[in-house]
Amino acid sequence: MGGCLSGDLKGGEQAIGGGVHGRSTMNNDTGHNEAIHHFYRVRGHSPLFTQIELSLSASNLRDLDITSKSDPMAVLYVKKMNGTLEELGRTEVILNSLNPAWIDKIHVAYQFEIVQNLVFYVYDVDTKYHNITVKALNFNEQDFLGETSCVLSEDPFLRISRQTEDGNHVPICKTEDDPLLIECFDFNSNGNHVLIGQLHRSVSELEKLHKDRSGANLIFPSHHGQEKVLKGQLFVDQFIEKEHFSFLDYISSGFELNFMVAIDFTASNGTPRNQDSLHYIDPSGRLNSYQQAIMEVGEVIQFYDSDRRFPAWGFGGRTYDGTLSHCFNLNGTNAYEVEGVQGIMAAYASALHNVTLAGPTLFSHVISMAAQMASQAASNGITKYFVLLIITDGVLTDIQETMDALVRASDLPLSILIVGVGNADFKQMEVLDADDGHRLESSIGRIATRDIVQFVPMQEVHSGQISVVQALLEELPGQFLTYMRSRNIKPLHGPEQSNPECCHPPILGKGVVELPFDGVKMSLLGPSLTC
């Protein structure tokens, strides 16, 4: 089977069973987790998924028909954690073709924080079933032509194009231009502001007001469904369009996430050979909290790092020569990098036999090391964003030094994920997380330029309240975008940027030109209005 994702529409004229009858128009939300969606929604957050549209084509299929060519249909599945396949959609049947390009699209919810294994099956539909909708087809009665698979996280950006008359392909992008409600109030210091008037205008209409230097009358709504047109008018004094790129725009253009991990080797974890130790390695294969955090976060982020070589450190332990260190290479050599997530797991297990647990718990050293690497990459123009995972069981003894290191690092392409294991009091971590809106302040009074920390206590993970990977990565795309926009860094030049009008709002990546609130400067004129 050829390329599994394509925008080519040739050959679609001979399709049957598609349109409203196809599975591609059904169950568009089956690709995302409703529990996760609810978790974010009740907390007022946008869920980390984007609806993307897949166009499928295949080439050089087997010919199983005797008097004609195969009549292929594609079926898309997602492979679940337990190995079972869940169907996401079906295409129509293309008659008499070994190189089909299906017209029906299949919608998938792309989730940054989950590795999505997609499996594609292709069937040759027997002629006697051509008058049956694809939804009703039984695959056991059709000939199997082949299968292929891909991991959606490896290449998460899909561009759908249409073919023009000259044979070229032009990217298609949906631009939202829904009307905006604009209200004018008479200000009162007690907070009981009085509505003067309102109007509905789309962004394009606001732009036209600016170009024409004309005004739009305000309207006073009535409870009886009638509206009173007022003499007061709204004028657009300034109109600025800002192109905001999404997380997917950067990743698809060549930016990478460089995963790093730092593990707590302080004595409060307990002797590793004892079963009550947080570092206990269960012979049955059951993962401890440290291993669970490494696996779940690493398995997602590794797909965004091309070489999959990850810096791995330990802190708070006495190393192989007896020296107390707060930032040592986990693999016990001079090389700080290991190969893949399994390399981190192996280095961690080996270190438990060679490193003596000690203390105290200090973060500033590993944060400074990660910041140094991020700084060097930024200075050299390397398109990488660094993600440091710190797993710890204890209360910090260098809280101010840690805050100083975080404030300095807030100017760098770096985010820090902290997982708290055990039953310690992690209130300090909540301060570092700065989710209350108060940015960190250093010992010399400098304020962090942005929030770069996300903290998750493993207790809540074990109680089933949250998933460690989804909670940790909830803020990462936003932190990434905040850094890129603050530096006016745009996605790398490439084919996906050939249409400058196709851009996306933060995180969710739905095609729209976003106007920040300060992008439109308005004034009001009228007998009773001054501005």
Side-chain angles (χ1 to χ4, degrees):
M1 186 171 173
C4 62
L5 305 177
S6 170
D8 184 8
L9 300 181
K10 291 194 321 184
E13 308 84 13
Q14 301 183 54
I16 65 169
V20 295
H21 303 291
R23 281 291 299 272
S24 63
T25 60
M26 301 179 58
N27 300 328
N28 289 349
D29 293 331
T30 55
H32 78 274
N33 189 311
E34 285 294 344
I36 300 169
H37 181 68
H38 175 73
F39 171 79
Y40 290 132
R41 187 173 61 246
V42 298
R43 288 161 175 79
H45 299 301
S46 297
L48 292 179
F49 71 88
T50 294
Q51 288 290 347
I52 60 176
E53 188 177 71
L54 303 188
S55 297
L56 308 184
S57 65
S59 58
N60 300 320
L61 295 176
R62 291 187 298 161
D63 188 1
L64 300 184
D65 293 349
I66 299 176
T67 58
S68 63
K69 297 178 181 177
S70 296
D71 304 321
M73 177 188 73
V75 185
L76 172 61
Y77 300 91
V78 61
K79 192 171 185 178
K80 303 173 74 172
M81 293 288 290
N82 59 7
T84 60
L85 297 180
E86 176 183 343
E87 183 178 336
L88 297 183
R90 308 179 183 186
T91 67
E92 77 283 10
V93 178
I94 298 292
L95 298 181
N96 197 32
S97 175
L98 301 182
N99 300 283
W102 291 279
I103 294 178
D104 279 0
K105 310 297 189 293
I106 300 178
H107 295 83
V108 178
Y110 165 71
Q111 292 176 268
F112 161 73
E113 76 281 11
I114 294 178
V115 178
Q116 294 168 275
N117 294 290
L118 302 183
V119 180
F120 303 82
Y121 283 4
V122 178
Y123 294 92
D124 178 15
V125 178
D126 193 276
T127 305
K128 64 182 178 182
Y129 297 106
H130 285 180
N131 61 341
I132 300 177
T133 62
V134 293
K135 175 185 175 182
L137 288 176
N138 185 341
F139 297 137
N140 293 328
E141 298 172 340
Q142 316 305 325
D143 291 325
F144 182 68
L145 292 178
E147 68 176 278
T148 188
S149 62
C150 65
V151 178
L152 188 56
S153 296
E154 287 182 329
D155 187 12
F157 185 86
L158 298 175
R159 184 182 63 182
I160 310 301
S161 302
R162 62 179 175 83
Q163 189 172 14
T164 60
E165 293 181 358
D166 59 3
N168 294 323
H169 287 83
V170 178
I172 298 172
C173 156
K174 177 184 178 183
T175 301
E176 295 181 347
D177 196 20
D178 297 327
L180 305 174
L181 172 62
I182 303 171
E183 299 173 300
C184 178
F185 290 89
D186 181 17
F187 175 81
N188 286 317
S189 58
N190 62 7
N192 295 321
H193 312 307
V194 179
L195 178 67
I196 295 175
Q198 67 182 38
L199 54 79
H200 290 83
R201 288 293 184 276
S202 67
V203 172
S204 60
E205 290 171 331
L206 292 175
E207 182 181 20
K208 189 175 188 302
L209 289 177
H210 170 67
K211 290 180 178 179
D212 296 344
R213 298 190 179 278
S214 59
N217 289 84
L218 294 172
I219 295 173
F220 192 83
S222 170
H223 296 294
H224 303 291
Q226 297 179 345
E227 298 179 333
K228 180 180 179 181
V229 179
L230 306 177
K231 292 183 178 180
Q233 290 186 318
L234 177 137
F235 288 79
V236 180
D237 293 339
Q238 187 177 10
F239 185 94
I240 302 173
E241 282 186 281
K242 292 185 178 180
E243 192 176 27
H244 278 195
F245 298 100
S246 73
F247 176 73
L248 294 184
D249 289 326
Y250 287 94
I251 298 301
S252 64
S253 74
F255 281 79
E256 296 189 359
L257 301 182
N258 194 88
F259 182 46
M260 305 177 284
V261 64
I263 298 175
D264 187 334
F265 279 81
T266 57
S268 55
N269 283 281
T271 305
R273 61 177 176 272
N274 296 337
Q275 292 189 14
D276 59 352
S277 170
L278 295 172
H279 280 310
Y280 177 68
I281 304 295
D282 194 330
S284 69
R286 181 180 179 182
L287 302 181
N288 64 34
S289 295
Y290 285 89
Q291 293 172 310
Q292 183 180 350
I294 293 169
M295 288 294 294
E296 291 195 17
V297 177
E299 283 192 336
V300 171
I301 296 185
Q302 68 174 341
F303 289 108
Y304 300 84
D305 191 332
S306 59
D307 63 10
R308 301 193 184 182
R309 295 183 60 84
F310 307 131
W313 303 295
F315 60 92
R318 295 191 179 276
T319 56
Y320 308 87
D321 59 0
T323 303
L324 177 61
S325 175
H326 299 291
C327 185
F328 57 88
N329 295 338
L330 199 61
N331 60 9
T333 68
N334 293 328
Y336 57 84
E337 289 184 326
V338 297
E339 293 279 353
V341 176
Q342 290 302 326
I344 300 176
M345 296 287 280
Y348 165 62
S350 176
L352 291 176
H353 295 288
N354 299 291
V355 176
T356 303
L357 305 189
T361 304
L362 310 179
F363 279 5
S364 58
H365 294 73
V366 293
I367 292 175
S368 296
M369 178 64 73
Q372 180 181 346
M373 296 178 62
S375 178
Q376 291 174 350
S379 299
N380 295 328
I382 299 175
T383 54
K384 279 196 174 185
Y385 189 89
F386 293 78
V387 180
L388 171 63
L389 171 64
I390 300 177
I391 315 173
T392 184
D393 83 312
V395 178
L396 287 177
T397 55
D398 68 337
I399 182 65
Q400 187 58 61
E401 291 83 356
T402 295
M403 292 175 66
D404 290 347
L406 289 173
V407 170
R408 291 191 299 268
S410 66
D411 288 326
L412 300 171
L414 174 67
S415 285
I416 298 173
L417 313 176
I418 303 175
V419 174
V421 299
N423 300 315
D425 184 356
F426 291 112
K427 289 183 179 178
Q428 287 178 318
M429 305 303 173
E430 296 174 2
V431 174
L432 300 180
D433 197 339
D435 276 346
D436 59 359
H438 293 86
R439 293 182 181 177
L440 295 180
E441 183 176 350
S442 72
S443 56
I444 60 174
R446 181 187 171 193
I447 305 298
T449 57
R450 61 193 181 95
D451 175 24
I452 63 171
V453 177
Q454 176 75 344
F455 169 71
V456 174
M458 209 66 176
Q459 280 181 321
E460 295 183 10
V461 175
H462 290 155
S463 65
Q465 297 181 43
I466 54 176
S467 161
V468 60
V469 65
Q470 284 138 7
L472 278 175
L473 300 182
E474 175 183 2
E475 296 182 8
L476 181 56
Q479 292 175 357
F480 176 98
L481 289 174
T482 301
Y483 174 80
M484 296 300 170
R485 290 171 180 173
S486 68
R487 298 296 186 276
N488 197 28
I489 300 174
K490 296 183 178 181
L492 303 176
H493 294 292
E496 61 278 347
Q497 297 303 325
S498 59
N499 183 3
E501 296 182 356
C502 190
C503 54
H504 308 281
I507 300 180
L508 294 184
K510 192 170 178 93
V512 61
V513 176
E514 178 180 315
L515 284 171
F517 193 74
D518 60 358
V520 180
K521 183 179 179 182
M522 304 178 187
S523 63
L524 294 161
L525 296 178
S528 60
L529 303 175
T530 58
C531 187

